[in-house]
Amino acid sequence: MKRLLLASLMGTAIALGTQAMASDADLKSLEQAARKEGAVNSVGMPDSWANWKDTWVDLNKQYGLKHVDTDMSSAQEIAKFAAEKDNATADIGDVGAAFGPIAVQQGVTQPYKPSTWAQIPEWAKDADGHWMLAYTGSIAFIVNKQLVKEAPKSWADLKQGKYKVAIGDVSAAAQAVNGVLAAAIANGGDEKNIQPGLDFFAEIAKQGRLSLSNPTIQTLEKGEVEVGIVWDFNGLSYRDQIDPSRFEVLIPSDGSVISGYTTIINKYAKNPNAAKLAREYILSDAGQINLAKGNARPIRAEHLTLPAEVKAKLLPNEQYAKVRPIKDAKAWEETSKALPQLWQEHVIIEME
C-alpha cells in the first residue's frame, strides 16, 4: 500500500494536522482535496450507531464523498489499520476512548485538529490531534416504571431499594466495568481504588437484589430488568425504541463516570483529506446535532444550540454536574483487567 503522498494532492491540507484552528482558506483547500479523493471508507461507524447515517448522507450531498462502512470492534479497527498499511481499505474509524491512546502508541494514526478544537475539553483530546471524543457516554440508570414505583435518583437510593439491579457481564462488557467504576466514584473511590464499587455491589448481592440479566433491549422489553446500569445513549435508545412512557433514564446525582468515542484517522489512508473533512464535519454544529439525533451526547453539548426536538431526546446538561472523566488511564487499564476476578471474589460470592 502506498504511503501517503499528501503533497501531491494539496500542500495546505498537510499543515492542517498541526494547526489548532483551521482557517477558512485551509478548509477550502481541504474540501478541494477531499473532493478529488471522492470517497471516505470507515470502520466501526455503521448507519444505525449514533446516527452516523445522517453524517454520511450530508458528506455525500455537500462534498460528493461516497461512503462504505465495515462494522467492527475498537481493537479490530486498530489491528486492521496496522495489518493493511500497504493497501489500506479504511480511512477513518470510531473507537472507545481507551483505544485512542493505544492507536497512537501503535503508530497507526495521523493528526487533524478541527476548527472547533478549542471547544473540546482537554480531558477529551490528544494534545497533537490524533484523537478527540466526538460524543460521550456516561453511566446512567434505566428504570422500568411499571415495575419500580419510586425511581432511584442516586447510588444511595439504589442501595436502599427493594428492586433487582442489572449491571451485565463485568468480565466482558465495557459498560458493566464502567458501571462498577461509577459506583466507586460516587462512594469515594477512583480508577486506582475500585473497592467502594465492589463493596456497593456486594451489598446489593447480599440483599438478593443483584440480577444476572444483561440490560439489553430484549431483556428490558420482556420486563426482565427492573433497574439497569447502562451508558446513557444506550438507555435513551432502548427507552425510545420500546416505549418512552415505560422507562426513565437518568444520571445518578451522587456521581458517575463519563467516557466516549473518538475518531481515528488511518496513517495509511488512501483518502486522508476526505477522512479529515469527515472529522471536521463530525465536530461541526451540524455533525454534532446528527450524533444527538442518535441519542449520543455531543462533546460540544455546552456550546451547541440543539433543535428543540433533538434536545428533548437527550438528558438535560444539569444531570451531568457530578460526572467525571477517567483521570488516570494507566491505572484504570490495570484495574479493569483485574476487575473480573475481583468481581467474582467480592460480589458473585455473595450470591451463593
Side-chain angles (χ1 to χ4, degrees), residues 169-206:
D169 186 354
V170 172
S171 70
Q175 176 176 268
V177 169
N178 279 275
V180 183
L181 176 59
I185 286 169
N187 288 281
D190 58 25
E191 304 91 326
K192 288 180 182 167
N193 175 22
I194 201 75
Q195 196 60 46
L198 293 167
D199 293 345
F200 179 89
F201 283 103
E203 182 56 38
I204 300 269
K206 271 182 204 162

Side-chain angles (χ1 to χ4, degrees), residues 53-100:
K53 173 176 64 70
D54 282 6
T55 287
W56 304 129
V57 167
D58 290 351
L59 286 167
N60 180 257
K61 268 191 199 159
Q62 293 182 35
Y63 307 110
L65 298 181
K66 292 178 183 158
H67 170 257
V68 177
D69 182 75
T70 307
D71 196 14
M72 50 181 62
S73 72
S74 300
Q76 288 169 330
E77 290 177 47
I78 294 169
K80 184 180 177 72
F81 283 12
E84 292 185 348
K85 57 185 167 197
D86 295 325
N87 191 19
T89 60
D91 303 309
I92 191 170
D94 186 46
V95 297
F99 288 89

Side-chain angles (χ1 to χ4, degrees), residues 60-328:
N60 180 257
K61 268 191 199 159
Q62 293 182 35
Y63 307 110
L65 298 181
K66 292 178 183 158
H67 170 257
V68 177
D69 182 75
T70 307
D71 196 14
M72 50 181 62
S73 72
S74 300
Q76 288 169 330
E77 290 177 47
I78 294 169
K80 184 180 177 72
F81 283 12
E84 292 185 348
K85 57 185 167 197
D86 295 325
N87 191 19
T89 60
D91 303 309
I92 191 170
D94 186 46
V95 297
F99 288 89
I102 291 168
V104 178
Q105 282 163 17
Q106 295 197 10
V108 296
T109 60
Q110 57 177 296
Y112 175 71
K113 295 180 179 181
S115 53
T116 50
W117 177 254
Q119 293 184 356
I120 301 166
E122 291 302 317
W123 67 265
K125 62 190 178 187
D126 166 59
D128 296 322
H130 283 271
W131 60 265
M132 63 226 59
L133 304 194
Y135 56 105
T136 62
S138 296
I139 290 295
F141 299 160
I142 183 166
V143 184
N144 185 327
K145 295 193 284 187
Q146 293 173 348
L147 303 174
V148 178
K149 286 195 172 64
E150 216 169 305
K153 304 292 185 200
S154 64
W155 294 100
D157 289 351
L158 198 68
K159 202 171 183 179
Q160 304 303 320
K162 302 289 181 208
Y163 38 76
K164 287 219 165 189
V165 178
I167 188 171
D169 186 354
V170 172
S171 70
Q175 176 176 268
V177 169
N178 279 275
V180 183
L181 176 59
I185 286 169
N187 288 281
D190 58 25
E191 304 91 326
K192 288 180 182 167
N193 175 22
I194 201 75
Q195 196 60 46
L198 293 167
D199 293 345
F200 179 89
F201 283 103
E203 182 56 38
I204 300 269
K206 271 182 204 162
Q207 295 171 19
R209 295 175 46 222
L210 186 63
S211 166
L212 290 179
S213 285
N214 194 14
T216 63
I217 192 161
Q218 292 82 8
T219 57
L220 286 155
E221 194 162 21
K222 285 180 192 162
E224 292 173 14
V225 173
E226 293 174 296
V227 176
I229 294 169
V230 294
W231 289 121
D232 50 358
F233 56 82
N234 280 338
L236 294 167
S237 294
Y238 300 158
R239 178 196 71 182
D240 291 355
Q241 287 174 64
I242 303 168
D243 177 359
S245 67
R246 192 172 148 195
F247 295 95
E248 181 176 354
V249 179
L250 59 101
I251 307 293
S253 61
D254 45 359
S256 188
V257 66
I258 186 169
S259 189
Y261 286 79
T262 172
T263 53
I264 51 171
I265 296 172
N266 191 349
K267 179 179 178 179
Y268 310 103
K270 285 182 177 167
N271 304 303
N273 297 292
K276 289 173 181 177
L277 187 64
R279 176 182 279 174
E280 180 68 42
Y281 191 78
I282 288 161
L283 286 145
S284 72
D285 286 6
Q288 293 277 282
I289 289 166
N290 281 345
L291 291 167
K293 286 178 184 171
N295 294 312
R297 186 169 185 258
I299 193 67
R300 294 177 51 239
E302 289 170 16
H303 300 276
L304 284 177
T305 305
L306 295 172
E309 71 280 6
V310 178
K311 193 175 179 181
K313 287 166 73 81
L314 297 181
L315 299 177
N317 281 341
E318 53 269 24
Q319 282 218 15
Y320 294 87
K322 286 281 187 77
V323 303
R324 52 148 282 199
I326 286 160
K327 291 174 181 167
D328 188 338

